[in-house]
Amino acid sequence: MEVVLVYHNPRWTKSRGVVSLLKKIKKPFRVVEYLKEPLEKEDLVSVFKKLNMKPFDLIRKTESGVKKELIEINEKDDDKILKLFLKYPRALERPIVIFGNKAVIGRPPEKIHDLFELEK
C-alpha cells in the first residue's frame, strides 16, 4: 500500500488536522517535520510539480523574515524563490500532503480527500 507523505509542523492546527484525518480514514502516512528535516532543492521542485503550482504561489508572505526578502524577488524567479525556502523553511505554505504523483495543501485538512478520490 502506498504511503502518504505529510510535510508537517505540529505547532499548526491545520497540520495537526491533516494528521488526525489521515488516522481517521486509516491511510498509512509518514510525517516529515520540515523544520527539523529541511527539504532539499530537488524535493521542493518535485513538490511544486506534484502540486502543479509555481513556487511564488506557495510563499507565506506574512511570515517573519520573508517580507524583506520578497522586495527583491520577482514572482517568476523560481530559483530565487527556491533559495528563499531553503533559507526560511517556515515561508513554505503548509501542510503539504503527497500521495503518489499528486499533492495538495491541507488547508482545510479535508482537501486531502482530493488525493484519494473520496467523498468529502
Side-chain angles (χ1 to χ4, degrees), residues 9-58:
N9 181 342
R11 295 188 64 205
W12 295 99
T13 304
K14 301 296 183 205
S15 200
R16 290 191 312 268
V18 163
V19 168
S20 177
L21 188 54
L22 285 167
K23 288 177 182 176
K24 182 178 177 184
I25 62 176
K26 297 181 175 22
K27 280 287 184 189
F29 64 94
R30 181 171 72 88
V31 167
V32 175
E33 289 189 38
Y34 65 95
L35 297 178
K36 293 180 181 177
E37 301 176 53
L39 282 75
E40 301 289 332
K41 183 176 180 178
E42 298 78 24
D43 298 323
L44 288 167
V45 170
S46 175
V47 166
F48 300 139
K49 286 180 184 175
K50 290 176 182 179
L51 285 166
N52 195 28
M53 296 176 79
K54 297 298 260 170
F56 186 80
D57 297 330
L58 291 168

Side-chain angles (χ1 to χ4, degrees), residues 6 10 47 83 120:
V6 181
V47 166
K83 288 177 183 172
K120 297 176 186 162

